[in-house]
Amino acid sequence: MPTTGSIEEQRRAACATREAILKVARRRFSSCGYADVTLRDIAADADVSAALVVKYFGSKEDLFAQASGFENDAEKLLDCELEHLGEHLVRTLLDYHDRTQGDPLVRAVFTSSRPAGASFRDNFESQLVTRLAERLTGPRARLRAELVCSHLMGLGASRLVLRTRAITAEPTEDLVALTAPLIQNWIDNPL
Amino acid sequence: MPTTGSIEEQRRAACATREAILKVARRRFSSCGYADVTLRDIAADADVSAALVVKYFGSKEDLFAQASGFENDAEKLLDCELEHLGEHLVRTLLDYHDRTQGDPLVRAVFTSSRPAGASFRDNFESQLVTRLAERLTGPRARLRAELVCSHLMGLGASRLVLRTRAITAEPTEDLVALTAPLIQNWIDNPL
C-alpha cells in the first residue's frame, strides 16, 4: 500500500504529465492546425502512451478544447500597466514562442478556421480583444485593440508557422525594439 | 456536330468553370485550412458536380497545389513603385478579400502548417518575400520585407479568419489610411 508521501508524489507526477501533454498539444495545434494532428503524435511528443492521453483528456476534440483555452494566456499578455503594454505584449509572446514553440493567437487563427470554431473565436474575442479594448482610453478603443492583436498575430505566424528567415533569426530584444513602438502607438493614441 | 463557334463557346465556358472552381477552392482553403475541406464542399460552392472538379483538377491534393500558387498574387501585390507600395499592398489585399473572401498570405500560413507544406513555404518566400526584399534599398532589406509580410498576414487573419468585429466593419480606405503608413515605414527606412 503506498504511503501518503507516495500518493502525493504520484499526484504531482500526474499533474506534471498532464501539463507536459497540454504543452505539446498546444505546440502541435499551433503549428499544424487541428485536422492534421493525431493523439498518437501528441502522445509521442510527450513520450507517453496514446492510452494515457485518452485517460487524462478524452477525445482529440476534448484535448483540443482544453489546450485551446485562452484565459491564462490572455491574463499573462495583459498583465502590465498601459504605458509599457506594447513592449510587454511582444516580449511575452516571443518568450512564449521560445519556451513552447506555440502561440496562443496563432492557435486562435487555426482554431477558429475550423467549422466548429465559433466558440473558440468568441473566447479569443472576450478574453483578449474585449479586455484589452476596455482598458484603452479615447475613441475607437475596439478597433485599436484589434489592430494590436492583428499585429501580434502576424508576428507569430511569421515566426512559428512560416518561419521566415530573418524574423526567426532576430534576437527577441531586437524584435521587441522594432515592433513594440508600433503596438504602443495603437494603445496610446486615439484614432 | 457543333459549329466552330460553339466549340469556342464550350472552351470559354469550361475555362470560366475552372476559374470559378479555383476561386471557391482558394476561399475554402483560406478560411478552413486544408484538412477540413472536401472536394464535395468545393463542388457545392461552385455549383458543379464533384466529378467535374475531379475531371478538371484531379485529387484534392492536386487542386490544392493549383489553388495555392502564389506567383500571380505576388505579382499583383508588388506591382507598384516603391514610394506608394505600402498603400498599394494594403489596398490590393483588402480588395482581394472583398472580391474572393480569400487571402494569399493567410492561405500560405494554413498551407505551410501542413506536414507537406515546405514547398509552399518556399514559394511564398521566393515569390513574395525575396522579391520584395530585392527591391528595398538600405540595410536589413530581408528583415524589413518579412515585417511587411507579417503585418499584412495579421491583417488578413483578423479580417478573414477571426473576423474580429471592428477590423471587419472598417471601410477599406480607412483601413488603408491606418495601416499603410506603418508598412511604408518598413519599406522606406533602413533599420
Side-chain angles (χ1 to χ4, degrees):
Chain A
M1 195 178 134
T3 65
T4 313
S6 77
I7 287 175
E8 177 60 17
E9 274 165 30
Q10 282 170 30
R11 202 194 55 77
R12 268 193 214 151
C15 204
T17 304
R18 264 186 72 92
E19 277 308 306
I21 294 169
L22 276 178
K23 187 173 158 179
V24 300
R26 289 198 181 100
R27 182 165 60 209
R28 278 270 175 184
F29 289 131
S30 285
S31 60
C32 304
Y34 177 80
D36 287 322
V37 176
T38 66
L39 284 186
R40 200 179 293 271
D41 294 333
I42 292 170
D45 287 355
D47 208 13
V48 300
S49 69
L52 190 74
V53 177
V54 173
K55 183 183 159 200
Y56 282 170
F57 295 97
S59 68
K60 181 169 98 162
E61 186 73 42
D62 295 333
L63 170 59
F64 183 68
Q66 291 174 73
S68 300
F70 218 85
E71 193 111 44
N72 286 342
D73 295 327
E75 208 148 304
K76 277 178 212 148
L77 281 167
L78 297 176
D79 184 22
C80 181
E81 66 279 24
L82 270 190
E83 60 184 317
H84 302 298
L85 186 56
E87 212 177 296
H88 173 81
L89 282 166
V90 183
R91 187 177 293 115
T92 305
L93 203 69
L94 298 180
D95 284 347
Y96 196 102
H97 293 178
D98 292 340
R99 277 187 300 110
T100 68
Q101 296 300 305
D103 180 313
L105 288 97
V106 172
R107 213 163 58 228
V109 175
F110 280 122
T111 310
S112 78
S113 71
R114 300 192 49 231
S119 67
F120 297 107
R121 190 159 57 229
D122 291 347
N123 281 348
F124 170 79
E125 293 233 11
S126 62
Q127 291 168 4
L128 185 62
V129 185
T130 305
R131 283 174 60 196
L132 174 56
E134 284 167 357
R135 289 183 58 191
L136 303 185
T137 54
R140 313 227 60 192
R142 173 84 200 184
L143 178 63
R144 287 151 57 209
E146 290 184 13
L147 287 164
V148 167
C149 293
S150 144
H151 216 120
L152 296 171
M153 238 177 307
L155 205 57
S158 301
R159 213 165 185 233
L160 283 185
V161 185
L162 287 166
R163 297 198 287 280
T164 56
R165 207 166 60 217
I167 285 183
T168 308
E170 193 71 2
T172 297
E173 281 310 308
D174 295 351
L175 262 187
V176 171
L178 284 170
T179 57
L182 304 182
I183 289 173
Q184 190 65 40
N185 191 47
W186 298 125
I187 293 171
D188 291 341
N189 299 316
L191 298 177
Chain B
M1 197 179 135
T3 66
T4 312
S6 78
I7 287 175
E8 178 59 18
E9 274 165 31
Q10 281 170 28
R11 204 194 54 77
R12 268 192 214 151
C15 204
T17 305
R18 265 186 71 91
E19 277 308 306
I21 294 169
L22 275 180
K23 188 174 159 181
V24 301
R26 288 197 183 103
R27 183 165 59 206
R28 279 272 175 183
F29 289 132
S30 284
S31 60
C32 304
Y34 177 79
D36 287 322
V37 177
T38 66
L39 285 185
R40 198 179 294 270
D41 295 332
I42 291 169
D45 287 355
D47 208 13
V48 299
S49 70
L52 190 74
V53 177
V54 173
K55 182 184 159 201
Y56 282 169
F57 295 97
S59 68
K60 181 169 99 164
E61 187 72 42
D62 294 333
L63 171 58
F64 183 67
Q66 291 174 74
S68 301
F70 219 84
E71 193 112 41
N72 286 343
D73 295 327
E75 209 148 303
K76 277 177 210 148
L77 280 167
L78 297 177
D79 183 22
C80 180
E81 67 279 25
L82 270 191
E83 60 184 315
H84 302 297
L85 186 56
E87 213 177 297
H88 173 82
L89 282 166
V90 183
R91 188 178 290 115
T92 305
L93 203 68
L94 298 180
D95 285 346
Y96 195 102
H97 293 177
D98 293 341
R99 279 188 298 109
T100 68
Q101 296 300 305
D103 181 312
L105 288 96
V106 171
R107 214 163 58 227
V109 174
F110 279 122
T111 309
S112 79
S113 71
R114 301 193 50 234
S119 67
F120 297 107
R121 191 161 56 229
D122 292 347
N123 281 349
F124 169 79
E125 293 233 9
S126 63
Q127 291 169 5
L128 185 62
V129 184
T130 304
R131 282 175 60 197
L132 174 56
E134 283 167 358
R135 289 183 57 192
L136 303 185
T137 53
R140 312 228 60 191
R142 172 85 200 182
L143 177 63
R144 287 151 58 209
E146 291 184 13
L147 287 165
V148 167
C149 293
S150 145
H151 216 122
L152 295 171
M153 238 180 300
L155 205 57
S158 301
R159 211 165 185 234
L160 283 185
V161 186
L162 287 166
R163 297 198 287 283
T164 57
R165 208 165 61 217
I167 284 184
T168 308
E170 194 71 3
T172 297
E173 282 309 310
D174 295 352
L175 262 187
V176 171
L178 283 170
T179 58
L182 304 183
I183 289 172
Q184 191 64 42
N185 191 49
W186 299 126
I187 292 171
D188 291 340
N189 299 315
L191 299 176

